[in-house]
Structures are given as structure tokens and as C-alpha cells.
Amino acid sequence: MWWNPFARRKRQDAADNWSRRDAALENAPWTPLHDLDDGDWERTTRPYPGHYPAASRYSNGWRSFIPQRLRDRSWLWWISRYIAAVIMLLIVLVGYLAITAPLSKSLEPIAPPQITLLAADGTPIARNGAVVDDPVLVADLPEHVIQPFLAVEDRRFYDHWGVDPRGVARAAFTGVGGGSTITQQLAKFTFLTPEQTLTRKAREALIALWLEAWLTKDEILERYLSNAYFGDNRYGIRAASLHYFYRQPENLKPEQAAMLAGLLQAPSRLAPTRNPDLAAARYGLVKGALVAAGFITQARADAMGVPALDVRSRNDLPTGTYFADWALPEARKMSDISYSRETLTTTLDSGLQDIARRVIERAPLGDAQVALVAMRTNGEVVAMIGGRDYSQSPFNRATQARRQPGSTFKLFVYLAALRNGWSADDMIANTEFSQGSYRPGNSNGRYSAQISLRDAFAQSSNVAAVRLFNEVGSEAVIETARELGVTSALPAGDPSLALGTSTMNLLELTAAYAGVAGNSFPVEPRAFPQEETGWFDWLMSGRGNLNSRDHDDMEDLLRSAINHGTGKAAMLSVPNFGKTGTTQNNRDALFVGYAGDLVVGVWIGNDDNSPLSGISGGGLPARIWRDFMRGALGASAAQPGPMPSPDPSGPVEPMDVPDLEDIPLGDGHHLIIRDGEAILVTDIDGVPVEVGMRDGDFSLEVDEEAAQSRLEEELRREPEPAP
């Protein structure tokens, strides 16, 4: 390295500062410097002026670890550099926050505003979300409304830059006020999680400084008052003042404003509607803080009594339904991010939903669960039952449960065959499998040499379906299912797929049948009306459809399954199409079909996947489907008379809770009293039976398929006669 003649030199040789110990070490015989004369020392340790021995380097402390040209800088010089580095780091962090934590987020309500879902006729079916109202403006609020919040939460709000060390100290010693400023609290509930860590507190302080840099004090206070939680599911001072005192915040009295300010410390615990004594005690502390801050005199504080509440319930508590739980996520996407409550109209038909509920109530289900989905051919869901009683189990078995579809999956097998040149009259072997590792059998134990596709579909022949699956190929079957909108996993090359061993939910399966019913697929189930699309949008949508021959043949098969097949119990007086499905050991029983513009799927099973007792797809599910269709088609055919318009802000209609007329009698027996008719729903030795009495007329209805199955089971159990 070249010697720099302009470099600053030490005025005293470092060797002069050495101690006796250093000198002794220098002369030690085992050191490399032993026996060197002064000239050798100079040449060895000072190759150029300004260079000093390594030993003297460490005697300079921390300065020895920095470049030579910086060692003689003063403390003032170093402190100024440290301050500049900290300021630069803050600038970088604020810039980072400007990108990752947008300022507009502080304008949004911190809790999702309340959404009211209406049925198609305007009947409220569910309310969900927090009660949030319009934001406030500080310029419109009286001083006596603002002062209690400043006194108890941040007395020096207008004097600090977002972080107030004096306020922290005062809170620690007096117990009045919080350690965080109003700006820090806004930063916390707008941008951060409620975790109590030093990292979170540091980020809170940093965001507070950032908010102070970009917003005025009044803007910060406005956003704080408009977002803070006041208990009872109310967010923002406007919603709180209307709830507790039925007043707009601009019209609050001093006592009322002080009461609201006291709630912010622990809103749920201090809410005066729940704990009036705790709220009154906190109100007294707020008055003391007002006096200490100089906002009011002690005499004025003594004259301020505890304000009386004026709570007026403007709507009932939120009530969930299976349909509403499914629709709400989509509703949140549709709603604007604002403080206002919204009301959205769904596709649910309250009349059809009521029919579905009544049909389910009458069904002799025993301990089994049930699900029903009814939709239009365009995917609009008009009725949904996700279980026997939402109040007992909100788990939606129509949308959340993934179960085997059984023989209802044969729709995709036969449709794939029709699209590949087969016809309903073509024959296929219906004999037992005698070779191969997979040997399915027919549930009824009946076989024949040959059978037409029409009869095989109607009788739900398993051996014919597997052979047809092997002839067509799993790729064609899976492709057909995908085109009809099935997204669940479908294993390729597995012949058991033909019998519906893959799992899917009832909504997905029903939507696939809707694609066949309307001859336009895939059908996307939806809870909200969709605007009509023009012909150009329809042309570019990429939707598929069947040619007239394939569609007619598929409907021929679906019609035969009801008219002279396993689905006879679902027969209507109008054209009807459908398919039964029963999984192994009767763990799932299904019927899916359509008539008119309605496509309906019904599932029955146990939540623990245990076998059902005496229930198959052609029995109780088919009868539920038939009873619902009879009521639904009759309701749609009836001429609607003048009906009072429902009040969207009125009480929620509990659509998934059984009526009080359904009286449980124990052991799975129910007595239903409705419109003057008494119906006893029970089962006799596993066979569902309904006994009715109305105006002296007696009626008896027995599940014929279940009775036949029971009889065949008993015959198989009888011992063969001795030879």
C-alpha cells in the first residue's frame, strides 16, 4: 500500500505507551521480535510513516477495529452519524409501510358490516356481521363528546407525534388512561393482530408515526371513533350511541358520551346492557379523568349522574341457516367495503324451502341424517336442507359432506357411452363376473345373458355398468363428468368408479344432473341471481351441450329408471327423470332427478358412515323427492294471490328449525299435527310407515321397496327344508 503523506499522523509513538509487561514480552526469547535492534524494530513494525506495531493497535480499544482515517473522530461526529442512520432507517421503514400497509385500510371498518340475506320474496332468512354505521366527523361533534375520549384514552393527543412516553409513565403510576395513544390504538386494530409481543408493539409505534405523518389529528380521531369496538357487536361511536341511547353521536349528552368513552377499555365486560354496575364504576373514573384534564370542574362532575339506557331492538339476533352459511362467503365478496349495512336478495324460494322442511319432518329417518338440494336448471338454488335441525347441528351435509354417490354416478358412464355411439337399445352382457380381481354383483342377485342399456340403467345393474365402463374407458367417463362440472377426484382406470365409489358432495352431483336437464353445462350452483347474458357472452362462455340424439337417449334412460325401474317410488303425474343410488352396505342412499324446471338431489345417511336400516335409494330418498316435487310443482302451478310484502328489516325466519307441531314420541316415532291432520311417522321392523287421520279419513302409506327388501332378507334367513 502506498504511503499517503496527507494522512493524519499520531503525535506520539505508540511504543512510548507500552507498559512494562509489553516490554518484557517484547524481549522474551520465544518471540519473533527477540534480539532485534531499534533499526530492525522500526523496519519491521513501521514500514512507512504513520504505521504502528500490532501490539499498540489493540491498546486503542474499539477504535482499533475501524479504518485508520476514522480513529480520531470526535464523539460528536459519531453521535451525529448514528442519529442520521436511525433517521434513514425510519424513512426506509415508513416507505415500506406505505407499500405493505396502505393508508386506505384505516378508512375501512375493522369488522365486516352486517349483511341481511333475503329470500326471493323479500323474507329475511339470516343476518350476519357486526353492526356498523356511518363514520363521524370531528367538526360535527360537540366538544363534550370528544373530551371524554381524550381524557381517558390520550390526554396529550394533540401534542405528541403518535407515541407519548409521558402518557405511558402517567398510566403506569396513576392507572388512568392507557399506555398506548389513540394513534397507536388505531394502528393496532386497523393494521395489526392483538398479540402481546414486543415486536407487535414496535410495529404499532412505527405505524403510529406513519399515520401521524400522513393524516391530520382530526382525521386520526375520526377514524378511531368510527372503528372502535363498544360492545354488543357495535363498532363505531355512531352505531354505539344509537344502540345504547338511541341518539346520533352529534346529539349525545355529556353523561352519555362519558359512558361510551369508558367502554373502550373492555367493551364486552363493561357493556351497560350486560354489566350496568361495572359500567357505572368505569363511568366514575372517566369523570375523574375529565376533571384531572381540566375539561370540567369537580362540581360539574358531581352533578353528572349515570345516564339511563334507551336500547331499542331494531332487528332480531342473527339466525343462521344451511343456505345462509353457504351463501354468506359469496355475499361478502359482492358487498362493498363500507360502514353501511347491506341487504342482499338471494335465489332461495321461501315457499319451496318450507315445503322441503315439512317433507323432511314427515320422513321416518330414525337416527339418520338427511340433505336436500333443489335448484333451477341454470344453477339457482331455491331450497337447501343440510340436516334435520340446524340448531342441533350446523354442519351442512349438502355442501360439506363428501360421500359416495353410488349408482347415481352411472349417469356419467351411460352418457359417455351414448356420446361414443351406443344407443339405449344396444345390448350388453348381464352375467356374473367369473374372472379378474374385481367381481361386483347386482344388489338384487338377478342376472341374465344380455340386457339393453335402457333396462340395465333402469334396474341399476352393477355388472352391466362395469362392463360398459370397461368398453368405453375410464378416460371418456371422467371427461364426461368433468364437462358436467364434477371437480372431485376421480381415479382413472378403477372399474369401481362406475358404481360411484369416488366421493363428492350432493350439491356438486345435483348440479351435474342440472346440466343434463337444461342441456347446457357445466352448471355452477349459485345463491344470488345472475344477470341475463347476451348472445355474444353466451357464445364466448365455452359452455357445452349434447346433440339432440344423445340428450333424448339419456332422458329415455332417466325416465325408465322411474317409470319401471328402481325409482318407481318417485313417479309423478308429469314427465320425470332420475336415478337411485345406494352405496355398499347401505351407508348412503340417494335419489337425484328433475321434473319441470326443478332439479333435486336427496341424500340419507349416518354421520359416522354406519349402515342404514332398511333404507335404499329407491325407498325413502325417492319418496322424499316425490313428495317435495309434488308440493313444489303444485305451488308453482298455483296462481299467486295478493301477498303482503315482507319487511326486510323484520325478524329472521328460522327456516332450518323443525316446527313445534313435530312431536317426538321416542324410539324414532314422531307425531306431526299440521292443518288439522295428524300423522304418525314410525317404522315397523325396519319398514317406514306413515299413518294419517284427517276429518275421519284414515290413510296408510308403506315404503314398498323397503318392505320387499325386508321380505327377501327374511326369506334368505329361513333354513332350507331337509331332503
Side-chain angles (χ1 to χ4, degrees), residues 141-213:
L141 296 176
E143 288 188 357
H144 66 256
V145 173
I146 299 174
Q147 289 171 351
F149 293 93
L150 299 180
V152 75
E153 294 295 329
D154 189 357
R155 197 173 301 173
R156 299 184 63 252
F157 172 71
Y158 284 97
D159 298 326
H160 60 65
W161 282 16
V163 179
D164 185 16
R166 287 173 53 185
V168 174
R170 184 183 69 250
F173 284 104
T174 66
V176 178
S180 297
T181 65
I182 283 179
T183 313
Q184 286 177 273
Q185 293 180 54
L186 177 63
K188 178 176 64 177
F189 59 59
T190 303
F191 297 99
L192 302 175
T193 60
E195 59 178 344
Q196 297 294 329
T197 63
L198 291 176
T199 302
R200 202 272 297 162
K201 292 295 291 183
R203 295 183 63 200
E204 175 186 302
L206 189 61
I207 295 176
L209 293 173
W210 175 63
L211 289 173
E212 291 278 351

Side-chain angles (χ1 to χ4, degrees), residues 110-122:
I110 62 175
Q114 187 182 84
I115 289 181
T116 299
L117 297 182
L118 308 179
D121 64 351

Side-chain angles (χ1 to χ4, degrees), residues 375-398:
M375 66 176 64
R376 304 293 181 188
T377 54
N378 62 0
E380 293 183 352
V381 176
V382 294
M384 177 181 289
I385 299 291
R388 298 176 62 172
D389 189 343
Y390 180 88
S391 63
Q392 298 297 321
S393 173
F395 178 72
N396 194 334
R397 295 155 187 86

